[in-house]
Amino acid sequence: MTGHSEVDNDRGCLRLVLVVPLITLTLVAAYFCWTALTIRPSGPWDDDAYAGIVLSCVLTIGAAGAVAVLWLLPSARRIMGWWWVGPAVLSGVIAAIRWVTAG
């Protein structure tokens, strides 16, 4: 009798399947967070820049929320530590702060 169970055998495959959307959404959140931080309005009249900041923040928060929801699935939490969602959630927090302070 071996000490391996069916659950242990599926963990590698399940991690591989879940890591693709987690990394993709984390990269999307990081990119839009970067754009939200780098957009500089020319003045208080620059509505397009402010709209770009808000859109970037909304997309960052949406992608970070999707990562968090995906990680909250019991099968994902079982095989992936909290640090898998840390960068995306941090990007979401930074975007929320930028959104609030954008004016």
Side-chain angles (χ1 to χ4, degrees):
M1 175 132 184
T2 63
H4 299 295
S5 69
E6 291 294 322
V7 174
D8 290 336
N9 292 336
D10 288 341
R11 284 186 182 199
C13 184
L14 184 60
R15 181 173 290 165
L16 184 63
V17 168
L18 289 174
V19 78
V20 172
L22 279 174
I23 289 177
T24 304
L25 288 168
T26 299
L27 291 174
V28 166
Y31 173 75
F32 283 112
C33 184
W34 175 78
T35 59
L37 293 173
T38 57
I39 295 174
R40 299 283 181 226
S42 298
W45 48 265
D46 196 358
D47 293 334
D48 291 336
Y50 287 112
I53 292 169
V54 169
L55 179 63
S56 293
C57 290
V58 167
L59 291 173
T60 301
I61 293 169
V67 169
V69 167
L70 183 62
W71 183 77
L72 286 175
L73 295 172
S75 59
R77 270 195 333 249
R78 186 177 74 231
I79 62 167
M80 298 178 138
W82 61 269
W83 60 272
W84 280 91
V85 296
V89 171
L90 181 64
S91 295
V93 169
I94 291 170
I97 292 169
R98 173 68 170 150
W99 191 359
V100 169
T101 61

